[in-house]
Amino acid sequence: MKKHFQKHGDEYLLSPAATLFMVADAINCPDAGPQGKVRASRVLNATMAAARAARFEQADILETMLLSGADAARVLPMCDALVQRLGAEVVIKIIRIGLDDVSPGDAS
């Protein structure tokens, strides 16, 4: 877990795999606003489309686990495998594109 969530001052630095996990968590989080849920869905959908295009065999299982709120200990290893398959740069690009309309200080 420590490699995915690293404390940096008052913030945490997240690995690409942990970011996918957190994005999926935001979709069902009651505290996430409507725009946040839309953004999270956009990132997850694009990531899973890339996973399927790359013939990542566990794409359906991973997506189901992410959307059902499975615990991090079970999901993060699969997220890691997906990041390795796609490449961290690709996953980061998908996340950036999915969040491109977020402004500094935007809490939604």
Side-chain angles (χ1 to χ4, degrees):
M1 270 305 210
K2 200 170 194 175
K3 74 176 187 173
H4 294 292
F5 302 94
Q6 295 182 353
K7 186 112 169 105
H8 184 72
D10 292 337
E11 301 174 337
Y12 281 90
L13 301 177
L14 298 157
S15 70
T19 302
L20 292 176
F21 178 76
M22 297 301 288
V23 160
D25 186 57
I27 293 170
N28 295 314
C29 178
D31 294 331
Q35 283 297 335
K37 291 176 186 271
V38 167
R39 290 175 180 128
S41 293
R42 188 169 50 211
V43 170
L44 186 60
N45 290 339
T47 303
M48 298 317 299
R52 289 180 179 94
R55 300 186 193 278
F56 182 67
E57 293 179 9
Q58 296 177 315
D60 292 338
I61 295 167
L62 176 57
E63 184 173 27
T64 299
M65 290 176 73
L66 285 168
L67 291 173
S68 68
D71 69 274
R74 292 183 59 214
V75 177
L76 283 173
M78 292 177 72
C79 288
D80 269 334
L82 176 58
V83 170
Q84 288 177 5
R85 179 67 175 250
L86 297 177
E89 299 82 17
V90 170
V91 174
I92 291 167
K93 184 176 181 180
I94 291 169
I95 293 165
R96 282 189 177 141
I97 290 170
L99 302 177
D100 68 354
D101 62 343
V102 177
S103 301
D106 186 356
S108 62

